């Protein structure tokens, strides 16, 4: 079973991610019980997906607008944010928007080109699980969350900026 | 000066540990070159033409003498005994060795310095007016606000992988010495009718390939909202700035493409969520930061001094220096002393280890131990007693730091160019030198008067050539180094972008070209008109005619 990092631990990944362009039939006949569907499929078939027997999550690519999930966050146990390449930083803002603006309480997972050296910042932006890119050593990556013990500014980890805590 | 507390120190140490490990993993092959690239850049490290280059942050240009001494010893121990002040108030080492960089950074940390976010696609060192806190006409000291922005922007987790680099300038004086309008965000400090502080917010200014003057998106932002508003701008930029083309990735392109008004609306909509949230600044925090920038122990002194006047009367060079390099101070009996790092034959902005130590000693003795760096690549002693000026002048002379041509044609702003920089199209330092040699005679310079001459070795415009009264840009013409000239730029409160004179020139032609341009000015100027004013009045044609007269 593939693994990922969640809440600071290595756990099994129970979710199956469906690539862009997948159609509804293929999605619903997938043998996995927990599927992560691309944003476009979710937008087009939200009701049908919710009525199916599967557990449904959604993944956003870096250009997708997280605000468009405003009415859906209550239904989604997991939202994934894709890093097409690690230096595309849009998902950092998407995570903040999901947490802060949309008050999303479920799991936010970083997927795609997820490398060790960005993990600490991802967590500070509100992501709480990490599906690491191929080749990244999971055990080593666990240390990355301790890179910085605090932050100057308000973060999802520590909503009070340092100047209100000093 | 701001003093680090345990939080600042801890985060800095954590960063050093982090980068040491990243460097180790890169050398062990665990990180690819591509993966290591943004990590080393966000720690100030470039791989240059001849060696790595390390850019060390000088927050808003303020240095203590202790820090300057450390910069000097580092240049001796890790480099070739000199360093270079950049046009962003930072300092650059041209010859460090990659393996030694973590040690070098640890040494910097001893004096609360670092190279964090001096490069890469993140929020860079915030810059300001070098006279902040001592300028006669200051509305508000910009340094505490810069410090607030420094902290907010340091290790900002959301904005470390922006589409492109991001520069913020703050200006608290009516005479803009910070080139505020050509920054990604420019902040003019204002006071409302009740004396409350606020900011005029400009976005989308910048030089480089597409020079743009920033557009105002907020006329008066009350100070409490500074950080939440900045967060909103950054979030809009991070999400919508172009990532498909490096040359279109700066915020200025986004602002241009959607229009300043649409950009403002997006920011305001985003800001509504954060406004009045926990990141809203508190009076306590502002007071705390202001507490680091209080006046030193000034004495009560007369604002005239007979001995200095006598010295000026008998020592012509000293009187030149007084006139050019010394500026009035808000406090009676004190003056601001500018050190021009533009000695002919030395790369503009370069300084040796011994000069740095010498300046540090002078600062301790005569200026409360503080030094400022200017974006014109000069240094400033902000608080020198009027009565000490002659002693200070004579001391500076012994280290070739008393060149009296601040703001004259030989006070050239110049990027490192093709001698060091791997992005360069052409060399810039030898051009500066050949022009300086042509105008070496001080009387000639003085007769020309106030002028700015800025040189960049490529389109990236680190030498700010677009906003020089005369701008010189190195271009590549079928593999040969050529130079394009622009006229009419300015980074003052009335910022303007220079216009291209015409076809570019070979290196050897440049001194003649400059002389012809200057002659057109001298022949046409009316009483008291400086170079820019004459250009603005007579336009480009006369310069063109003269320079290209015998072109065929
Ligand atoms: S302007 Fe070009 S040549 Fe000069 S320092 Fe910048 S990148 Fe290098």
């Amino acid at each position: 079973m593939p693994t990922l990092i969640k809440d600071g631990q290595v756990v099994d990944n129970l979710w199956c991610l469906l690539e862009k362009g997948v159609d509804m039939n293929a999605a619903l006949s997938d043998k996995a019980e927990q599927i992560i569907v691309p944003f476009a499929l979710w937008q087009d078939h939200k009701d049908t997906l919710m009525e199916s027997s599967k557990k449904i999550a959604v993944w956003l690519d870096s250009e997708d607008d997280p605000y468009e999930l405003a009415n859906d966050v209550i239904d989604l146990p997991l939202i994934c944010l894709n890093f097409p390449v690690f230096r595309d930083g849009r998902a950092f803002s998407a995570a903040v928007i999901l947490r802060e603006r949309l008050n999303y309480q479920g799991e936010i997972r970083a997927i795609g080109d997820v490398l060790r050296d960005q993990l600490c910042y991802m967590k500070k932006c509100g992501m709480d699980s990490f599906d690491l890119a191929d080749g990244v050593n999971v055990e080593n990556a666990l240390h990355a969350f301790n890179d910085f013990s605090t932050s100057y500014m308000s973060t999802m980890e520590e909503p009070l900026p340092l100047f209100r805590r000093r | 000066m701001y003093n680090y507390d345990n939080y600042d120190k801890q985060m800095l140490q954590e960063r050093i540990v982090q980068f040491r490990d990243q460097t180790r993993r890169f050398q062990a092959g665990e990180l690819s070159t591509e993966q290591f690239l943004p990590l080393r850049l966000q720690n100030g490290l470039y791989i240059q033409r001849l060696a790595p280059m390390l850019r060390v942050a000088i927050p808003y240009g303020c240095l203590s003498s202790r820090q300057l001494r450390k910069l000097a010893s580092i240049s001796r121990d890790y480099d070739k005994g000199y360093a270079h002040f950049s046009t962003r108030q930072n300092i650059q080492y041209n010859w460090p060795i990659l393996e030694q960089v973590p040690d070098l950074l640890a040494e910097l940390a001893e004096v609360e310095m670092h190279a964090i976010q001096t490069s890469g696609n993140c929020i860079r060192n915030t810059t300001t007016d070098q006279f902040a806190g001592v300028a006669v006409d200051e509305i508000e000291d910009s340094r505490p606000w810069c410090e607030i922005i420094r902290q907010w922007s340091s290790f900002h987790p959301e904005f470390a992988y922006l589409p492109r680099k991001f520069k913020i300038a703050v200006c608290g004086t009516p005479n803009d010495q910070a080139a505020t309008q050509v920054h990604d965000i420019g902040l003019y400090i204002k006071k409302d009718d009740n004396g409350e502080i606020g900011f005029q917010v400009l976005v989308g200014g910048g030089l480089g390939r597409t020079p743009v003057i920033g557009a105002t998106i907020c006329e008066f932002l009350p100070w409490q909202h500074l950080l939440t508003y900045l967060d909103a701008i950054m979030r809009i930029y991070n999400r919508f700035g172009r990532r498909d083309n490096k040359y279109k990735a700066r915020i200025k392109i986004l602002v241009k493409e959607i229009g300043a008004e649409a950009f403002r609306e997006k920011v305001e909509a985003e800001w509504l969520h954060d406004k009045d949230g926990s990141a809203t600044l508190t009076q306590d925090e502002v007071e705390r930061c202001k507490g680091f920038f209080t006046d030193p122990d000034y004495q009560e002194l007369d604002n005239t001094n007979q001995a200095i006047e006598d010295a000026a009367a008998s020592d012509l060079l000293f009187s030149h220096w007084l006139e050019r390099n010394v500026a009035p101070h808000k406090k009676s009996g004190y003056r601001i002393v500018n050190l021009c790092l533009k000695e002919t034959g030395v790369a503009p902005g370069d300084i040796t280890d011994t000069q740095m130590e010498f300046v540090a000693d002078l600062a301790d003795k005569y200026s409360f131990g503080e030094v400022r760096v200017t974006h014109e690549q000069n240094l400033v002693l902000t608080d020198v007693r009027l009565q000490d000026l002659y002693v200070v002048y004579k001391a500076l002379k012994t280290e070739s730091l008393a060149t009296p041509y601040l703001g004259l044609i030989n006070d050239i702003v110049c990027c490192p160019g093709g001698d060091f920089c791997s992005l360069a199209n052409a060399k810039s330092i030898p051009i500066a030198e050949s022009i300086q040699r042509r105008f070496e005679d001080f009387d000639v310079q003085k007769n020309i008067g106030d002028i700015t001459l800025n040189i960049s070795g490529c389109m990236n415009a680190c030498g700010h050539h677009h906003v020089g009264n005369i701008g010189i840009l190195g271009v590549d013409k079928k593999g040969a180094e050529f130079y394009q000239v622009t006229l009419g730029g300015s980074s003052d409160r009335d910022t303007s972008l220079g216009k291209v004179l015409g076809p570019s020139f070979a290196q050897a032609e440049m001194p003649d070209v400059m002389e012809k341009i200057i002659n057109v000015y001298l022949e046409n100027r009316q009483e008291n008109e400086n170079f820019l004013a004459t250009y603005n009045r007579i336009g480009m044609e006369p310069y063109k005619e003269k320079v290209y007269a015998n072109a065929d």
Side-chain angles (χ1 to χ4, degrees), chain B residues 200-245:
Chain B
Q200 180 186 345
V201 183
L202 289 84
V203 293
L207 300 174
R209 199 163 287 252
T210 318
V212 185
I213 295 171
T216 298
I217 58 163
C218 180
E219 284 292 346
F220 189 87
L221 176 73
W223 61 267
Q224 294 88 340
H225 303 303
L226 176 64
L227 299 184
T228 52
Y229 200 83
L230 291 179
D231 268 323
I233 296 175
M234 297 310 301
R235 189 164 300 129
I236 297 302
Y237 172 55
N238 190 36
R239 294 188 60 210
F240 301 107
R242 285 182 62 170
R243 289 173 187 264
D244 57 330
N245 179 341

Side-chain angles (χ1 to χ4, degrees), chain B residues 46-51 417-425 458 460:
Chain B
Y46 282 79
I47 303 297
Q48 285 293 35
R49 185 153 278 189
L50 306 160
D419 291 295
F420 295 98
C421 176
S422 47
L423 301 171
N425 283 327
C458 79
N460 287 324

Side-chain angles (χ1 to χ4, degrees), chain B residues 292-345:
Chain B
F292 293 104
F293 302 97
T294 50
D295 280 349
D297 281 330
Y298 291 130
Q299 297 165 339
E300 295 306 322
L301 299 167
D302 276 351
N303 214 24
T304 53
N305 186 291
Q306 194 54 48
I308 293 298
E309 281 171 32
D310 292 346
S314 62
D315 183 339
L316 186 63
L317 281 177
F318 175 57
S319 77
H320 288 329
W321 180 81
L322 273 185
E323 190 189 323
R324 292 307 316 182
N325 291 36
V326 177
H329 194 285
K330 69 174 184 185
K331 180 76 186 168
S332 169
Y334 285 84
R335 295 293 183 270
I336 302 169
V337 169
N338 292 279
L339 281 51
C340 192
L341 300 180
K342 307 295 170 64
E343 181 85 0
T344 304

Side-chain angles (χ1 to χ4, degrees), chain B residues 150-433:
Chain B
R150 182 193 74 79
Q151 299 195 11
W152 160 80
S153 61
S154 295
F155 318 118
H156 201 307
E158 192 182 343
F159 307 129
Y161 294 90
L162 297 168
R164 203 71 178 85
K165 58 188 168 183
F166 205 91
K167 301 168 182 179
I168 302 176
V170 187
C171 178
T173 42
N175 280 329
D176 187 350
Q177 292 200 99
T180 309
Q181 298 181 29
V182 287
H183 282 75
D184 296 288
I185 293 178
L187 298 169
Y188 281 123
I189 308 182
K190 287 182 162 179
K191 275 189 181 150
D192 70 6
D193 295 341
N194 305 318
E196 280 291 306
I197 296 290
F199 299 89
Q200 180 186 345
V201 183
L202 289 84
V203 293
L207 300 174
R209 199 163 287 252
T210 318
V212 185
I213 295 171
T216 298
I217 58 163
C218 180
E219 284 292 346
F220 189 87
L221 176 73
W223 61 267
Q224 294 88 340
H225 303 303
L226 176 64
L227 299 184
T228 52
Y229 200 83
L230 291 179
D231 268 323
I233 296 175
M234 297 310 301
R235 189 164 300 129
I236 297 302
Y237 172 55
N238 190 36
R239 294 188 60 210
F240 301 107
R242 285 182 62 170
R243 289 173 187 264
D244 57 330
N245 179 341
K246 177 176 174 199
Y247 301 114
K248 300 203 162 150
R250 295 288 291 269
I251 193 174
K252 61 192 171 189
I253 305 293
L254 174 63
V255 174
K256 264 183 117 171
E257 282 182 354
I258 69 172
E261 183 52 30
F263 185 85
R264 189 191 63 78
E265 281 168 17
K266 270 183 182 292
V267 169
E268 297 270 332
E270 185 64 36
W271 180 49
L272 271 185
H273 297 280
D274 275 343
K275 188 170 177 272
D276 301 318
S278 69
T280 305
L281 277 170
T282 59
Q283 189 75 46
D284 280 353
E285 171 63 359
V286 174
E287 291 308 324
R288 188 183 78 89
C289 288
K290 285 189 175 181
F292 293 104
F293 302 97
T294 50
D295 280 349
D297 281 330
Y298 291 130
Q299 297 165 339
E300 295 306 322
L301 299 167
D302 276 351
N303 214 24
T304 53
N305 186 291
Q306 194 54 48
I308 293 298
E309 281 171 32
D310 292 346
S314 62
D315 183 339
L316 186 63
L317 281 177
F318 175 57
S319 77
H320 288 329
W321 180 81
L322 273 185
E323 190 189 323
R324 292 307 316 182
N325 291 36
V326 177
H329 194 285
K330 69 174 184 185
K331 180 76 186 168
S332 169
Y334 285 84
R335 295 293 183 270
I336 302 169
V337 169
N338 292 279
L339 281 51
C340 192
L341 300 180
K342 307 295 170 64
E343 181 85 0
T344 304
V346 178
D350 273 16
I351 189 165
T352 66
D353 55 339
T354 44
Q355 283 178 321
M356 283 189 256
E357 281 161 351
F358 180 82
V359 173
D361 290 347
L362 270 191
D364 278 341
K365 212 161 163 195
Y366 297 106
S367 194
F368 299 101
E370 271 193 46
V371 179
R372 304 279 177 89
V373 183
T374 81
H375 79 85
E376 293 94 351
Q377 306 173 291
N378 293 318
L379 294 178
V380 180
L381 297 174
T382 41
D383 301 286
V384 180
R385 291 188 303 185
L386 171 60
Q387 65 200 61
D388 294 333
L389 286 178
Y390 199 38
V391 195
V392 169
Y393 166 74
K394 283 192 284 194
L396 287 171
K397 247 180 115 168
T398 63
E399 283 291 332
S400 306
L401 291 167
T403 6
Y405 42 61
L406 191 90
L408 296 180
I409 191 162
N410 275 13
D411 182 9
I412 295 175
V413 172
C414 178
C415 81
D419 291 295
F420 295 98
C421 176
S422 47
L423 301 171
N425 283 327
K427 291 194 173 64
S428 53
I429 296 167
I431 299 298
E433 183 176 347

Side-chain angles (χ1 to χ4, degrees), chain A residues 87 93 101 149 152 164, chain B residues 8 10 14 34 235 278:
Chain A
R87 52 176 192 279
S93 286
R101 306 284 185 260
S149 53
Y152 284 112
R164 289 180 188 268
Chain B
D8 301 291
Q10 186 185 337
E14 286 168 345
E34 194 206 351
R235 189 164 300 129
S278 69

Side-chain angles (χ1 to χ4, degrees), chain A residues 81-83 85-86 88 91-92 95-96 99 108-132 145 156-157, chain B residues 157-158 161:
Chain A
L81 300 175
N82 187 40
F83 286 83
V85 53
F86 75 97
D88 180 344
F92 291 102
V96 171
R99 288 279 182 241
I108 302 181
R109 178 175 302 178
I111 60 171
D113 197 15
V114 179
L115 307 178
R116 178 215 152 112
D117 291 287
Q118 288 73 40
L119 293 177
C120 185
Y121 282 178
M122 289 177 184
K123 180 149 177 273
K124 285 180 191 291
C125 288
M127 300 178 211
D128 43 18
S129 69
F130 308 88
D131 190 354
L132 300 175
F145 297 101
M156 297 308 109
E157 265 184 332
Chain B
E158 192 182 343
Y161 294 90

